[in-house]
Amino acid sequence: MTTIEGTVERITYRNEDNFYTVFKFKVGTDDIYTCVGNLAQITAGEELRLTGEWVRHNVYGLQFSVESALPITPSTLVGIEKYLGSGLIKGVGPATAKKLVDAFGMETLKVIEETPHRLTEVDGIGEKKAEVIASAFQAQKDIQDVMVFLQSNGITPLLSMKIYKAYGKDSVDVVKENPYRLAEDIFGVGFKTADKIALSLGLREDDPNRLRAGLKYALGQAVEQGHTYLPKDELLEEAKKLLGLEIPESLIEQLAAARQLIVEDSKCYLPSLYEAEQRVAKALVLLAKQVATLPFDDLQIESEFELAPEQKEAVKKAMQEKLLVITGGPGTGKTTITKVILDQWEKAGFKVLLASPTGRAAKRLAEATGHPAKTIHRLLEYGFGPTGMGFQRNESNKLRADALVLDEFSMVDIWLMDNLLRAVDENTRLLFIGDCDQLPAVGPGNVLRDIIDSGKIPVVKLTKVFRQKNQSQIVLNAHRINEGYFPEIDNNGDFVFMERKAPEEISSLIVELVADRLPKYVRKRYNMTIDFDTIQVLTPMRKSETGVDNLNKLLQKRLNPSGKKNEIQIGHRLYREQDKVMQIKNNYQKDVYNGDIGKIYRIDPEDKVVDVLFTDETGDRYVRYEEDELDELTLAYAISVHKSQGSEYPVVVMPVTTQHYVLLQRNLLYTGITRAKRLVVLVGSKQALFLGIKNNNTAQRYSYLAERIRMAVSSN
């Protein structure tokens, strides 16, 4: 390896997808060389120590191929001025950099670091700006120290920034002590990245710390897939695939002894999930045991609503039971029943709370019932309190209400259910409403299905579909698909199938439909105003020609092309003003949650901040994202069917192709179709649609809640 030192003169070429950069590098006073390499962060004027090899390109001649690039302190007045004016130091641009160098010369960097109060001697710099400059300079110096260490261990500068933000000046110590913490603490860092760092630091492949970290990570991955536990044999097998080594069972026993996981009859849990599952089962059984009858005014209800017998039974049970689950598909009258129950509770003088898992679902619930509704997170008042960030409604600060209605219950995972029940007062009635045939929650557990399967909690299943004038084919075909039958397709109503076979033809037609044909059709037929949320593309997978990622690129290019709008590129992701975006992780500080969809309102390319407009049950609000937070956002012109749960769109467009065969299942088709309110358009092959309908082998979720409910009933 060869090492050279010098200054970046200019950037000739840069690919933001893989950070491949071609730049001119000045060594000494006269020599300027072409350098190439994958560098995540590089600025003209920087002085660097490059390590690599000289190579001869058959077209471009002699080049220096860079393996690593480490910053060094500028050693000339010109270098200092270029360094300070490069944009690395917040509050210092080229003009301010020149003033500073004119005032302090070669001592400029020393003054900023050691005696920053002297910066006020420069015209235009007050005390506040001097503090900003000094703070930014010190942060950059700390970051450089971290970058030098991390880069030498194969970590990209962008990830180094995230590590620094998480641990500050302790970053190097944290990474040296336990690099596997990165996978637990930092969004976007997986076990493989942390493992690569650990091995580069000299950790042996069979080191017990590595094996234990691999076991915990494998269990965490299972939770990401919706399981609350893994059988011991499966956990060992998954860890073996991950680490490439046989894992002794004794390591599971060690982790269990340290309470880092719980083992119960060969079921391996993360402690938080084990405790949540136990608490939920006990709380549900205690509530279900109580009888709290209210009068049911049958005659008055019949004069206002024509209720079917099973609907009347649902309303009566809501008057009689402390805890009730109502489940049914589209068109079975869940909304009507909810209104009737609320009316009865109001007559009894009840204070009633309404909630849903997402802001969109809460907004729709409020509109349908005429009662205010909140997300569960807002109902439980997530925020900063006496014990730090968390739900402020809990065992010691319970919700005060006579009744609580929770809609879209299929979306509730075991963690959220646990927090909700811990905050519910023992005198509060609970009504859970949801469709058990939809996809289960994105998070761990299968709460709605487990409650029903336990056979110990009062449940009303609505099966009758109410036929009305101009009956929706969406509703009829959703039920046909759910029952395993091929949909009725005549393309004259609100359920349309457009036959295409080649994936490229499918994606091309979807773009044409969304950009041109459907807006015209919807305006004419429904007299609707078209906005960014009118038409939503749903697709089963992320990858492939007709997957989320590719469709988003195609739709962004067509619907929101580059022009005078500001944009920002972060890695392979390009964001542009007016883009439709989705939050992909819960961010409690910003009060935005996994699946929330908004529109980019403003991008400041200089400060690298993005403002996003979100609309939910609270109204319009703007949320700011810094550069290192933008991986929490993704384009949302197309989203996965899983991410669409709890939402409803006027128009849904969905590819149905054998490319998606792995995930093409009956409940996924059913969930996607039932997201459409006015019109659903399927694009693909009838063969793929047939295969999806016949595939009712939904992936098993390991959950023990149903059994725990039955055991809790037996022990009482």
Side-chain angles (χ1 to χ4, degrees):
M1 285 287 180
T2 302
T3 299
I4 59 175
E5 294 184 2
T7 306
V8 178
E9 284 290 297
R10 68 177 185 274
I11 311 296
T12 306
Y13 170 78
R14 183 159 175 79
N15 183 332
E16 290 293 346
D17 284 343
N18 56 18
F19 304 122
Y20 180 77
T21 307
V22 180
F23 60 99
K24 296 296 183 182
F25 194 66
K26 187 174 183 179
V27 179
T29 56
D30 299 315
D31 296 329
I32 296 179
Y33 301 106
T34 298
C35 298
V36 298
N38 297 88
L39 306 171
Q41 190 174 13
I42 186 170
T43 307
E46 275 191 282
E47 290 193 24
L48 301 173
R49 179 179 294 112
L50 305 180
T51 301
E53 298 287 356
W54 291 103
V55 296
R56 185 168 294 278
H57 193 278
N58 57 5
V59 175
Y60 300 109
L62 188 66
Q63 297 178 337
F64 190 76
S65 179
V66 180
E67 291 292 326
S68 69
L70 304 178
I72 57 178
T73 303
S75 57
T76 66
L77 290 176
V78 173
I80 293 171
E81 186 177 329
K82 279 189 175 182
Y83 171 74
L84 290 175
S86 65
L88 288 174
I89 310 300
K90 189 174 182 180
V92 180
T96 303
K98 187 176 188 313
K99 288 182 181 180
L100 289 169
V101 172
D102 288 345
F104 303 115
M106 293 299 297
E107 297 292 307
T108 301
L109 299 182
K110 185 177 180 181
V111 168
I112 295 173
E113 183 175 7
E114 298 179 5
T115 55
H117 62 276
R118 290 193 58 199
L119 298 180
T120 57
E121 298 172 16
V122 177
D123 185 41
I125 298 181
E127 289 184 7
K128 187 173 182 181
K129 186 168 184 178
E131 290 175 5
V132 169
I133 293 171
S135 176
F137 180 82
Q138 186 57 50
Q140 187 61 34
K141 191 171 183 297
D142 292 341
I143 290 170
Q144 285 187 0
D145 292 341
V146 172
M147 298 266 282
V148 168
F149 171 77
L150 296 178
Q151 253 194 87
S152 64
N153 287 284
I155 304 173
T156 68
L158 192 60
L159 177 54
S160 299
M161 292 286 286
K162 282 193 166 193
I163 294 172
Y164 176 77
K165 187 170 183 180
Y167 308 122
K169 289 188 287 188
D170 298 328
S171 298
V172 173
D173 292 338
V174 169
V175 172
K176 283 182 176 179
E177 182 182 343
N178 181 12
Y180 296 104
R181 271 189 64 183
L182 303 180
E184 299 175 9
D185 296 346
I186 300 177
F187 178 70
V189 178
F191 175 84
K192 290 181 180 178
T193 300
D195 195 40
K196 181 181 177 182
I197 296 168
L199 294 174
S200 74
L201 291 172
L203 197 73
R204 296 195 331 270
E205 285 193 349
D206 62 349
D207 187 288
N209 287 327
R210 179 174 184 260
L211 302 185
R212 283 191 289 266
L215 279 168
K216 288 195 290 183
Y217 179 76
L219 188 54
Q221 285 297 100
V223 171
E224 289 288 320
Q225 295 165 13
H227 303 294
T228 59
Y229 72 89
L230 270 187
K232 187 184 293 184
D233 290 346
E234 285 195 34
L235 176 57
L236 289 169
E237 184 59 30
E238 290 302 314
K240 177 184 174 181
K241 290 178 189 175
L242 180 71
L243 299 171
L245 295 170
E246 290 285 349
I247 312 298
E249 192 172 323
S250 60
L251 284 179
I252 290 181
E253 296 167 5
Q254 290 177 24
L255 289 170
R259 294 290 294 182
Q260 293 183 35
L261 59 81
I262 304 292
V263 180
E264 179 191 70
D265 299 330
S266 292
K267 297 186 296 294
C268 299
Y269 284 87
L270 294 177
S272 60
L273 279 172
Y274 177 78
E275 292 160 5
E277 204 173 71
Q278 284 198 317
R279 280 194 297 261
V280 167
K282 290 176 183 176
L284 288 172
V285 170
L286 285 174
L287 285 166
K289 276 174 51 181
Q290 302 179 41
V291 177
T293 299
L294 277 178
F296 173 58
D297 192 343
D298 191 52
L299 291 176
Q300 184 171 345
I301 289 173
E302 285 205 348
S303 67
E304 189 173 353
F305 298 99
E306 289 295 332
L307 296 184
E310 65 179 18
Q311 290 180 311
K312 288 183 183 179
E313 183 62 26
V315 177
K316 286 180 180 178
K317 275 193 170 292
M319 301 304 110
Q320 296 165 349
E321 304 288 354
K322 189 72 177 296
L323 168 63
L324 178 66
V325 175
I326 297 177
T327 184
T332 55
K334 296 191 297 294
T335 300
T336 298
I337 291 172
T338 303
K339 290 178 182 177
V340 173
I341 292 170
L342 289 173
D343 182 57
Q344 293 294 301
W345 283 347
E346 281 188 334
K347 288 177 182 176
F350 278 14
K351 177 186 176 183
V352 183
L353 300 175
L354 279 74
S356 285
T358 69
R360 285 166 170 256
K363 185 178 180 182
R364 196 170 67 250
L365 178 62
E367 291 169 349
T369 63
H371 290 70
K374 296 181 178 180
T375 63
I376 299 173
H377 286 88
R378 293 193 181 104
L379 181 73
L380 300 181
E381 299 175 14
Y382 193 95
F384 189 80
T387 58
M389 289 296 291
F391 290 110
Q392 301 310 305
R393 292 291 185 173
N394 47 41
E395 303 95 326
S396 58
N397 183 26
K398 291 183 179 285
L399 294 166
R400 300 299 173 187
D402 299 297
L404 169 64
V405 177
L406 180 54
D407 196 20
E408 295 288 355
F409 188 50
S410 64
M411 295 182 65
V412 176
D413 63 33
I414 193 70
W415 273 322
L416 195 54
M417 187 64 172
D418 179 38
N419 281 290
L420 179 74
L421 292 177
R422 288 161 73 179
V424 170
D425 185 82
E426 61 182 9
N427 296 314
T428 302
R429 294 169 181 257
L430 292 180
L431 174 61
F432 299 142
I433 303 169
D435 185 347
C436 63
D437 292 317
Q438 287 187 28
L439 292 169
V442 175
N446 202 353
V447 177
L448 174 56
R449 174 57 67 184
D450 284 347
I451 289 175
I452 294 170
D453 289 349
S454 75
K456 301 298 182 181
I457 304 296
V459 176
V460 174
K461 295 182 181 179
L462 303 175
T463 57
K464 180 177 174 59
V465 179
F466 293 93
R467 294 181 178 273
Q468 302 168 349
K469 187 179 179 181
N470 300 321
Q471 177 65 43
S472 166
Q473 287 184 313
I474 295 173
V475 172
L476 294 176
N477 281 331
H479 284 279
R480 285 185 65 83
I481 287 170
N482 194 40
E483 293 163 8
Y485 299 110
F486 202 80
E488 295 178 358
I489 299 171
D490 60 23
N491 286 358
N492 291 321
D494 56 9
F495 187 98
V496 175
F497 186 91
M498 303 184 76
E499 182 86 26
R500 295 291 188 279
K501 291 186 178 179
E504 295 81 5
E505 291 180 339
I506 294 172
S507 59
S508 177
L509 179 55
I510 287 173
V511 172
E512 184 63 28
L513 285 167
V514 175
D516 186 43
R517 293 167 63 175
L518 281 174
K520 292 177 182 176
Y521 177 78
V522 170
R523 283 192 195 97
K524 183 177 179 181
R525 174 163 180 169
Y526 300 110
N527 193 28
M528 285 180 59
T529 301
I530 303 296
D531 62 20
F532 88 112
D533 210 21
T534 302
I535 303 171
Q536 182 62 59
V537 177
L538 305 180
T539 182
M541 297 180 72
R542 292 210 63 84
K543 305 301 180 183
S544 83
E545 172 71 28
T546 53
V548 171
D549 295 340
N550 188 55
L551 285 174
N552 268 320
K553 286 182 180 178
L554 297 175
L555 289 164
Q556 182 193 45
K557 184 177 180 181
R558 181 70 179 272
L559 297 173
N560 192 26
S562 60
K564 294 183 180 179
K565 304 183 190 80
N566 288 328
E567 56 186 43
I568 184 171
Q569 180 100 34
I570 303 295
H572 66 278
R573 298 182 303 277
L574 173 67
Y575 303 103
R576 190 173 290 139
E577 288 174 344
Q578 303 304 306
D579 268 339
K580 184 177 183 179
V581 293
M582 180 174 63
Q583 177 79 11
I584 58 172
K585 66 165 285 193
N586 289 338
N587 188 320
Y588 299 107
Q589 285 75 21
K590 294 183 186 296
D591 196 21
V592 287
Y593 303 98
N594 191 354
D596 285 355
I597 290 180
K599 180 191 285 188
I600 293 180
Y601 174 73
R602 187 181 74 93
I603 293 175
D604 186 330
E606 188 171 323
D607 288 341
K608 295 187 178 180
V609 296
V610 174
D611 294 327
V612 179
L613 171 64
F614 290 99
T615 301
D616 51 33
E617 84 280 12
T618 64
D620 291 348
R621 44 193 199 92
Y622 298 90
V623 178
R624 173 157 291 188
Y625 292 80
E626 302 290 339
E627 179 184 9
D628 61 349
E629 297 173 321
L630 289 174
D631 58 355
E632 296 182 16
L633 293 175
T634 186
L635 293 177
Y637 299 103
I639 65 174
S640 69
V641 177
H642 280 84
K643 293 289 189 182
S644 73
Q645 289 176 264
S647 296
E648 191 176 76
Y649 312 96
V651 182
V652 164
V653 181
M654 187 174 171
V656 183
T657 167
T658 51
Q659 273 195 325
H660 300 157
Y661 180 69
V662 175
L663 293 177
L664 201 59
Q665 298 165 347
R666 186 185 299 175
N667 64 343
L668 183 140
L669 287 169
Y670 174 78
T671 300
I673 288 166
T674 55
R675 299 308 88 205
K677 186 175 182 181
R678 294 290 186 88
L679 176 67
V680 63
V681 182
L682 304 183
V683 182
S685 71
K686 289 183 179 178
Q687 178 195 17
L689 181 57
F690 177 81
L691 291 172
I693 293 168
K694 292 305 175 185
N695 182 10
N696 199 30
N697 299 319
T698 55
Q700 178 189 7
R701 280 197 173 193
Y702 288 116
S703 169
Y704 208 61
L705 179 61
E707 288 78 2
R708 292 195 193 283
I709 291 171
R710 287 193 283 266
M711 288 189 294
V713 170
S714 300
S715 64
N716 277 293

